[in-house]
Amino acid sequence: MIFDAILEPFAHAARVITDRLHNGSMARYLAIATLTILAAGYFAYGTGTHSPGTRTLTPIEPVPAVGWLLLVGSTAALFAYHRNRLLALVLVGVIGLMVSVGFVYLSAPDLALTQISVEVATVILLLLALNFLPKQSPVESSTGRRTRDGLIAAAAGIGIGALIYALMMRDFAFSPISEFHLANSKPGGGGTNVVNVILVDFRGYDTFGEIIVLGIAGLVIYALVEALLRGGPANDRLLAWVPDQKRAGDRHPLMLVVATRMILPIAIMVGAYIFLRGHNEPGGGFIAGLVVAIATVMQYMASGFGWAAARQRIDYHALIGWGVTIAGLCGVGSWFASRPFLSSNFGYFKLPFIEKFELATAAIFDVGVFLTVVGAVMLALASISRIAIRAGETVNAEPFDIQPDEVPASKGAR
Amino acid sequence: MEFLVASAVGMMTACGIYLILRKRTFPVIVGLAMLTYAVNVFIFASGRLTIGLPPIITHNPEGYTDPLTQALVLTAIVISFGMTAVIVMMALGSFLETGDDNIGMEEDRETPAKPQEGAE
Amino acid sequence: MNHWIIAPVILPALLAPFIVLVMRHDLTLQRIFSTIGTAVLAAISLVLLYTASTNPPEVYFLGNWPAPFGIVLVLDRLSAMMIALTAVLALMVQLYAVGSNWDARGNHFHALFQFQLMGLCGAFLTGDAFNLFVFFEVLLIASYGLMIHGGGAKRLKAGVQYVAYNLVGSTLFLFALATLYAVTGTLNMADMALKVAELPAGDAALLRVGAVLLLLVFAVKAALVPLQFWLPATYSFAPGVVAALFAVMTKVGAYAVIRVFTLIFPPETAATGMLFAYILLVSALITLALGAIGVLGATGMARLVAFAAIGSMGTLFIAVAQFTPLAMTAALYYLLHSTLATAILFLVADLVQDRRGNDSLRIALPPMAQHGLLAALFFGGAIAMAGMPPLSGFVGKLLVLDATRGDAMPLIWTTILVTSLITIIGFSRAGSQVFWKAHATATSQDRPETKPEALAFAMIFALLAALVALTVMAGPVTDWLADTSAELFDRTAYINAVLPTAKE
């Protein structure tokens, strides 16, 4: 007891210190982290020797300059109007679009394709989530705090901008390893699209890790939604949920329904095309997977969850499982040729009536990528739909609110 | 062109940092997305800029742009997409469970009890 | 080429989708397959540990591409040790999860657990900087899933913070990697080491920026002040069993610092010099102090252990920051010890939590089932964690003190000794609150009927036995670790293995 009495003031002080520091304010934690990073980076730079770069600037042409204006303008608008969350999403969309246009201009067609398709999937996901979240962010911070945050943000922006400018202005001190990739893409990897050959061959192991990240994301989201809907405050809140905005009269607009259904086969064909040409031209399993997934999601959005779910029997868990397994086994397969994991092989074949074509084991790997991407994206979006159904969104078995082919009598009877 | 790219990266970074310092989950997620854009362009630009020389082998005498940084950006885009999907759903779950979308836990610190929901 | 090197990555990577595909609805099958998988992983890791201790570093060229153009895996003593530590800890934690029924409280526990192991093993094995990022992301996203396993409002909220903080960390990782690639033109760590040594002076400043950003990324993982803010809430709100597995997650940060800053940027590098050593030392001292104060002031048992874990990272990094073979030996010993000790304490906290419904240290609560046993286990873990004799924490701290040299020596000695005292007081106060005062308040109350989870208790005992073994075998273990740190500081073997054509 005496022991306790002596120590109590110290313990109390320790508690106050610890709790003051770790007070749960994420904004402060991140502000401290940003300042630390900036200070450490600046210190490291300031105490080293630096000679400015010598590369000549690439010219600025009018069209890219307009794109830059759009990008910077939307970013500035996002600063100002981020409280209107829907508008913020639109601005994010514009910024993403400008980034992908920039990629096209700066010789990166693969990046542009991926950026734009990921952009679409992300915005759809955020929109669906926003359906349940408040549509506005309230003003909570004082002007002083906002100014402070703005200064931190400006310092970070200037720091990163200056860093990349300094890097871009100098030549590589040594010849970069990518020269080997350019030289060996066709003879060693069997493809002319060097970016794709790097992804499925030179650095296929990275891609293997990357699709596993996507697969895990799908599983985590599924497990999370299961836990939410199992009963508890989230479930109660969903059951009592009242839409905070007016709903459109026609939930499944005719134009959208017809258009999406016509798009689906075309999108699947485009997906197959992008997939097949990936090794030699911009494309590949990942982009193809996103195109197909987005086309399928559009069926859900246009025709309703019930209608679309009734028309496909694919289990998304199985897609993820098979995707990762196929990619993994494709890598293991090279053991039997007594070569290391993920060694690829390719050959040229000739079938009657069509041109000579190439088959690469990397294509099997790409199938795994494709399946995982479709599975993960669909599992994530289907999980949101389950939340919506719990929130009282009725599921309709029919895609249209009006049935054009039904005889009027039976309609009256219903 | 280099100046335009560098200023765009800086601008997107600044916007991202400002948004992640907000107190609600949604702006923080948008801020993280902006940081992702910024870092993607940053990685891409670290391979130096070239105009009109895509890394598709065509016996182009002028050479090609750096394909490796592009491949790295592709990997980074995909990974950050997975991460964004997870944090969006977690933020939604947290909003539905607690009824507010604050990202801070200022009021939760004093109650050390761990939640035991889910115990059968 | 030895295909076993990649087995620790491939085995869980194929087992996890198999679990998802075949036995998604059958928990018993999941438990059997997942546990067998982890046991096999542990066996493989021990074989690899043996291989690595008898052979020079071995390299696995993925896709049969020569380094530095493809990705390589490197098995050396350090990576073999980390994998063995991870696999053995994972096996015990997994059996605990089965024994305590934690895996039944949500979906996909075992699949995520296997993916988590895959990410950890991949991060320890890779010899490529960007691939390290990829596997960091694999282990992080799996950890996000495990962190919110079972759901619950506060856990989700803490989970959002954890994910957001780590996403900022991942972004920083990419900034750092892009900077390093732009300066050196390579991603392979051994190749980067050669390039950094020959770098023109004019590039030094930018290289330093890239390197220091990388250091901060790892400092986030290792929870070094001032980047430790994510840890207390995450570890105290995560399921106990997951928190125990996370004991190895902070060590990923420590591993990465040790690997990168002995291989690529050793202290004799002209461009960087002792920059990192100073940053790390200052931060580590504050981390240790903050951890100890947190232990004394903690209001809940899990939070107490979380701060103890922060403090142990401080001690570990004090040793790392010396960048001498002797101190590195101490650091590696302390790393092994603190991983096991942290795991024990989180598991005990979980059992207390499970019996009482909360783990508050501010109110006296009635005794619980297996009260005496839990008290004994808690004090076993606490003695180890606080660094009291006779357990391995004492040996570890002695090694760290003994390896300390230079101007900062008095400061380091004082900090370690004072914080040890504070930690001991914190633990004994907490223990008396949870276990002793309980008897005083509940004389008439019936003891709650809880069946002892034999498997769960057995696993805590097994972890404690591992600590005892680490103490008893301190001599041979430190000899082995001395060879390991010698291998780290003599980079030639590693670089020659990865780049057979390069000469250094």
Side-chain angles (χ1 to χ4, degrees), chain C residues 185-244:
Chain C
T186 187
L187 292 169
N188 179 291
M189 295 205 269
D191 194 34
M192 206 181 272
L194 294 181
K195 300 278 162 67
V196 165
E198 298 164 8
L199 202 70
D203 284 335
L206 293 174
L207 180 82
R208 287 162 70 92
V209 174
V212 90
L213 294 186
L214 202 57
L215 182 75
L216 293 177
V217 175
F218 301 149
V220 170
K221 302 288 176 291
L224 286 177
V225 174
L227 301 171
Q228 88 295 1
F229 289 104
W230 60 273
L231 192 139
T234 305
Y235 279 35
S236 52
F237 287 114
V241 52
V242 173

